[in-house]
Every structure is written in structure tokens, then in C-alpha cells.
Amino acid sequence: MKKLSIFFVSVLALALSVSCSSNDNDNASLEGKWELYQDGTIVDGKEKLTPVVYEGGCNKDVFEIQAGGKFIDHYSQYSNSKCNDYTENGTWTRKDNKITVVYDGDTSGDNGEILVLNKTTLKIKYTYGVSETYVVEFKRI
């Protein structure tokens, strides 16, 4: 009976330590549908992000990351008083906190640094040249 009690307490302690873990990044997957939520830049070390506004009631931009290193980028553009929906495909790779996306037909890709990845949020920083920084934040849908 004592062994059973010790086993029960051990299982309970393990379950509590797993459920109370604050590090969602270890278990979160890039795969899924991500809606573009905010974008902006980093100025003097501080993020300056603003919510994305969809002109004319256009569909929201969705980045669909698929298994096997494929993605589909769904986006809309408002012109001539109407929304035009587009889809582009490509490939993605990840190594540690770095992600590279390459659109079909392009010879070079965009390299980003994953700043946040958890069950609900994906935030990526792209750096172009010496000082141009672009940050995008997605919400999982």
C-alpha cells in the first residue's frame, strides 16, 4: 500500500509540473492557419506594432503552414472599389528559432527570427540590410 501511495504522489507531482509549465514554446507547432494580426518595426529596442486594418472589408490575410515544409499564403488587396483575393504557395524550413520562407518562383527566401511561438501567437522578426526591421504577429485560427 505504501508503494501505491508513493506512486500516486509521484504521478500527481509530475502531472502538476507539466500542467503548470509556463514555456509553451517547446510544445507549440508552426503548422496550422495563422491570421495576420499586427505588424510594425522595432525602434530604439522597442516594438512598435499596430493592428492590421483590412480596407474595404476584404478577407483577412491567412498564412497556412503545412506539414512537409509547404505553405499557402492567402491575402486580399483592395483596388478599384473591390477586394481581390490571391493565393501564393511556397516552402518553409525551420532551424531552432529561425524560419525561412521561399515563394514558388523565387530564387531567394525571407529569413526570420521567431520571437514568440505558442498555442495562440506567432511573432516573427525580419531584418533587411543593416537597420531595417519588420515584425509581424499572427494569431492562430
Side-chain angles (χ1 to χ4, degrees):
M1 187 66 160
K2 185 175 181 179
K3 286 183 182 182
L4 187 57
S5 294
I6 292 171
F7 175 75
F8 178 76
V9 169
S10 297
V11 169
L12 182 62
L14 178 61
L16 288 173
S17 68
V18 170
S19 67
C20 294
S21 174
S22 64
N23 189 357
D24 290 337
N25 291 342
D26 293 337
N27 297 324
S29 172
L30 275 172
E31 294 173 12
K33 290 184 178 183
W34 298 94
E35 177 186 308
L36 183 59
Y37 175 67
Q38 296 187 106
D39 64 357
T41 190
I42 297 175
V43 178
D44 297 328
K46 294 184 181 183
E47 288 182 5
K48 303 285 185 181
L49 302 180
T50 57
V52 175
V53 176
Y54 293 96
E55 193 175 358
C58 291
N59 291 324
K60 296 180 179 180
D61 296 350
V62 174
F63 198 71
E64 184 178 347
I65 301 175
Q66 302 175 330
K70 302 284 185 185
F71 72 80
I72 304 171
D73 187 1
H74 308 270
Y75 62 96
S76 292
Q77 291 181 339
Y78 185 76
S79 65
N80 298 325
S81 301
K82 69 177 189 172
C83 294
N84 297 298
D85 294 326
Y86 300 95
T87 301
E88 292 190 63
N89 298 315
T91 58
W92 66 274
T93 56
R94 178 183 180 186
K95 183 172 172 103
D96 301 321
N97 69 333
K98 304 291 184 195
I99 184 170
T100 300
V101 295
V102 180
Y103 285 86
D104 289 350
D106 286 350
T107 56
S108 63
D110 289 320
N111 299 306
E113 177 185 353
I114 299 171
L115 301 176
V116 176
L117 173 59
N118 58 42
K119 294 177 183 175
T120 60
T121 304
L122 170 61
K123 188 186 296 185
I124 304 172
K125 175 178 79 171
Y126 294 96
T127 303
Y128 302 101
V130 176
S131 62
E132 187 178 346
T133 303
Y134 181 63
V135 178
V136 291
E137 182 176 336
F138 299 90
K139 297 292 182 191
R140 190 181 298 271
I141 55 173

